[in-house]
Amino acid sequence: MLKKYVYSVMGFMLISLQSIHAELPQDSRRPGGIAVIPLGQEIKNVRFNQQNILISNENTQRYAILGIPLNTPIGTLKLETNTQPIQIKIKPYAYAEQHINVKNQDYVNPSDAQLTRYANEAKVQNDVYSSFTPSTWQALPHFIRPTLGQFSNSFGRKRFFNGEERAPHSGLDIPAPIGQKVVAPADGIVVQTGDYFFNGKTVLIDHGQGLISMFCHLSKIEVKQGQHIRQGEVLGLVGKTGRVTGPHLHWGMSLNNARVDPQLFLRP
Ligand SMILES: [Zn+2]
């Protein structure tokens, strides 16, 4: 009788442990990665570079979920807390190089007017990335793929346009046909829509606590700024607007204003 009870409790514990961890992003402590840090009871708040960090409450355990910027040096990274600082180790990761030849010179060497336009657009997007709104959830919800399609690991690639080095690729490219549906990977609020110089038609969704998703190069936007969106709801259609070599979805994820690998939000 007791044995049976113990086994059923153990079975329950295994199931609950699995469901707890299934919702957390994968821990990958590299530039462009994510650190999932269990917090002791005494830690009330965690900050990195004066920014708030996302906290997920998984039943009784709290986790700080840190986005590690792509330009983070290898070595020890320190997080401030209300007690002792937390130190984590950042490991190297060999991102691939990508050499692209773009025919439209405007995208390689933009004019002053185009650069001004781009600077304004970048500021709007950075304001969104550095925002920190309260979340409607206690435990970070799980994310689904925003569109169908096979993809390779394109996040973090060092990019050269016609031989000139540019910023590393800050999202994941999913090749897909024009007109294919793009859905919200999790619930959130549409915080920005626009037609941008490099990114083309773009939607940004705020999922709360500094977690923002971004969808670029759309052929059509089907949501409005300020709108609440549920996981799986259509936000737009795949396209090839902006600086692209072919139709695909560029899916970006930003956490505490750090662009991180979207694959870490999907179940491996
Ligand atoms: Zn891309």
Side-chain angles (χ1 to χ4, degrees), residues 154 159 169 171-173 217 248-251:
S154 61
R159 298 182 301 178
H169 188 235
L172 182 72
D173 289 340
H217 313 307
H248 70 277
L249 175 70
H250 173 104
W251 173 27

